Amino acid sequence: MTTFETGRRAETAAAAFLRNKGCRIVARNWRNRRCEIDIVAERKGAIYFCEVKYRLRNTQGCGLDYITPKKLTQMRFAAALWVSTYRWQGEYQLCAVEVAGPDFLVTNVVTDLT
């Protein structure tokens, strides 16, 4: 399986998990030439900009360990651009979804990373 295919499977698992929690998936892999958002989801009138992190094993740390200050800056920029592009005036939050193992199980979700 290629890295691209692995990433897609992790994002599919994350999207299914979010749907099961009552979210509507607005977009997957929303991008423009300057940034990308893995999943844009909506729940109860709020938008969640979700970064999906996958690790087969946690020998080098869990997926959420890779949400660095630089990554948070990139996520904030992408979220602000989406909000501006779609003229969103409601509530929104940054979110990280950790997917792990050969079965692509969601192991952790963190909201409000701002």
Side-chain angles (χ1 to χ4, degrees), residues 57-70:
R57 294 175 212 78
N58 63 1
T59 53
Q60 294 183 329
C62 68
L64 296 181
D65 292 339
Y66 291 84
I67 304 289
T68 63
K70 181 179 178 181

Side-chain angles (χ1 to χ4, degrees), residues 82-93:
W82 189 96
V83 165
S84 174
T85 299
Y86 293 98
R87 296 187 169 113
W88 178 256
Q89 295 189 10
E91 180 183 338
Y92 66 92
Q93 292 184 29

Side-chain angles (χ1 to χ4, degrees), residues 25-37:
I25 305 303
V26 175
R28 285 184 56 184
N29 300 109
W30 180 85
R31 67 182 64 227
N32 72 13
R33 63 187 182 97
R34 297 169 61 191
C35 60
E36 185 250 346
I37 301 169

Side-chain angles (χ1 to χ4, degrees), residues 2 10 37 40 47 50 60-62 78 81 99:
T2 67
I37 301 169
V40 179
I47 292 288
C50 303
Q60 294 183 329
C62 68
L81 190 57
V99 180

